[in-house]
Amino acid sequence: MNVPVWDDSKWPGLPALEGDLEADVCVVGLGGSGLSAVGELLELGRRVVGLDAGPVAGGAAGRNGGFLLAGLAKFYHETVAQAGRERAKAIYQATLEQLERMCRETPEAIRRVGSLRIAADAEEYRDCLEHLEALRADGFPAEPYEGPEGRGILIPSDGAFNPLLRCRLLARGLLGQGATLFEQTPALEISGRAVRTPGGTVHCKRVIVAVDGRLEALFPELAGRVRTARLQMLATAPAPEVRFPRPVYYRWGYEYWQQLPDGRVALGGFRDQGGEGEWTHAAEPGEAVQQRLERFLREHLGVRAEVTHRWAASVGYTESGWPVLEEVRPGVWAVGAYSGTGNVVGAILGRLAARLAAGVPVRSPLLPA
């Protein structure tokens, strides 16, 4: 099965690279971050070639839960405690601005409906209130919530989207602007001057590698800092017996679901209950987690509709929860390891990586001081 609910099978595909090319920058990975990098490089007037080992957004960028959440992987009050109030506030504001940009870029893929964080127990509810207090203290929108989903907080500035549709729309737009993009073109060898693939070599001045899962496999330099996990999801036929107007984060974000406009329910989670086997580069659904997901779907959410899709994706994690954006080799920038929440911050970091690779001065609270 392993096909995300987002895939409507209408993507015509792009050719694989055959022969050698020259560019100012080669971008490896055509998910949300990589496509943002390509777009930024075009705006800067650079010649850019983009490659992906599979199809556009064939990895986590097109196989995630479709949440658009402001901030980093940590909840806002945790970011404040870790990074300090001023930096945390600047990061959160930057992600809100990126959300607005995404809505302008691909309005047909996005629903700005807010999100819920729902507590699984009393301890988590107390943490939700701390989360709420920190957001309000810095002037960000948030409200206490109690409803059919449970108790927690409502963040009205968040949203939901079809991640695969957004990436495909971006790719089409970039092609129309003159970008050179290739699918089914894995990078076999990466240096700051060239990317070698099975069908040819891109000779360039700089390289951006914008992948999430398996980042440490491409760059052994990041082993020990980045670790890849498998995230699993399922989706159903339309389920008129339930109504979830907003995407929901539950049990510290380990479970997450949304109901699509046509009534289908997409649910993911239980990575922490799948054991050590979920720390893997394999991106196929596993029986143990899929059983937990279906039990939760029936018993907790009350969904009776049949399961139509089961899929998985590889996602990079860091112990700190902070993503990677750095020059890992001379002339080679790595972007990724979003710890499960890369849809918004990944787009920001892709654009930052583009500017860094292009030699343009950059200031951002997401970069080391």
Side-chain angles (χ1 to χ4, degrees):
M1 191 174 278
N2 204 19
V3 175
V5 70
W6 318 113
D7 193 349
D8 60 9
S9 301
K10 294 181 180 179
W11 177 245
L14 300 175
L17 174 64
E18 296 291 342
D20 293 355
L21 290 176
E22 292 190 1
D24 293 320
V25 183
C26 180
V27 176
V28 178
L30 298 178
S33 303
L35 292 167
S36 292
V38 171
E40 189 75 9
L41 288 162
L42 289 177
E43 289 184 16
L44 292 170
R46 302 305 196 268
R47 295 174 302 158
V48 56
V49 171
L51 314 173
D52 201 290
V56 166
R63 304 175 69 85
N64 62 69
F67 282 44
L68 289 174
L69 307 179
L72 297 178
K74 292 180 177 294
F75 295 123
Y76 183 68
H77 59 306
E78 297 172 324
T79 305
V80 169
Q82 184 180 31
R85 169 151 285 165
E86 290 308 310
R87 189 177 182 194
K89 186 175 180 179
I91 291 170
Y92 200 88
Q93 182 60 42
T95 58
L96 286 176
E97 292 169 3
Q98 177 61 38
L99 267 164
E100 294 288 349
R101 177 174 179 147
M102 294 171 80
C103 289
R104 293 193 302 269
E105 290 173 337
T106 55
E108 56 270 66
I110 295 174
R111 295 180 294 128
R112 199 75 179 271
V113 291
S115 75
L116 294 175
R117 180 190 170 193
I118 298 297
D121 55 29
E123 177 188 2
E124 187 177 5
Y125 184 63
R126 288 191 292 272
D127 193 75
C128 284
L129 296 180
E130 292 181 24
H131 186 177
L132 172 67
E133 182 181 359
L135 286 168
R136 285 180 155 181
D138 286 339
F140 296 122
E143 306 168 14
Y145 179 86
E146 185 166 353
E149 300 89 347
R151 292 194 307 169
I153 61 174
L154 164 64
I155 303 176
S157 51
D158 288 341
F161 77 138
N162 180 325
L164 187 55
L165 175 60
R166 170 172 160 79
C167 286
R168 289 173 172 175
L169 290 170
L170 288 176
R172 289 191 187 106
L174 293 170
L175 289 167
Q177 295 171 43
T180 304
L181 307 179
F182 298 98
E183 295 182 329
Q184 312 303 332
T185 303
L188 302 179
E189 186 177 340
I190 299 170
S191 73
R193 295 297 180 183
V195 177
R196 185 173 64 85
T197 80
T201 298
V202 179
H203 300 279
C204 54
K205 300 174 183 177
R206 296 288 187 272
V207 176
I208 297 170
V209 178
V211 302
D212 193 14
R214 306 183 186 92
L215 186 62
E216 76 279 24
L218 283 172
F219 296 115
E221 300 95 323
L222 297 175
R225 292 175 50 202
V226 176
R227 194 179 185 194
T228 293
R230 172 174 59 184
L231 300 187
Q232 299 193 43
M233 296 194 67
L234 58 74
T236 72
E241 65 272 19
V242 297
R243 183 173 181 269
F244 300 113
R246 307 173 186 88
V248 181
Y249 243 29
Y250 180 76
R251 195 173 68 86
W252 308 94
Y254 279 113
E255 279 73 67
Y256 44 94
W257 67 90
Q258 65 159 300
Q259 191 164 23
L260 281 57
D262 63 5
R264 294 180 292 173
V265 174
L267 164 68
F270 294 101
R271 175 181 62 83
D272 63 319
Q273 296 184 18
E276 189 66 19
E278 295 309 298
W279 293 104
T280 176
H281 289 182
E284 298 285 333
E287 184 176 356
V289 168
Q290 288 292 322
Q291 287 179 349
R292 285 176 167 84
L293 285 169
E294 189 156 359
R295 188 178 309 121
F296 186 86
L297 178 79
R298 307 303 185 198
E299 297 177 2
H300 188 90
L301 300 188
V303 175
R304 298 189 299 273
E306 72 168 315
V307 173
T308 57
H309 296 72
R310 299 181 190 272
W311 72 96
S314 295
V315 175
Y317 281 79
T318 61
E319 187 172 346
S320 67
W322 286 72
V324 169
L325 170 53
E326 62 184 71
E327 191 174 8
V328 290
R329 296 173 187 169
V332 180
W333 294 88
V335 187
Y338 305 119
S339 299
T341 57
N343 288 326
V344 178
V345 74
I348 298 174
L349 293 183
R351 288 167 40 222
L352 289 175
R355 298 182 75 82
L356 290 167
V360 176
V362 172
R363 293 184 63 185
S364 169
L366 286 159
L367 296 174

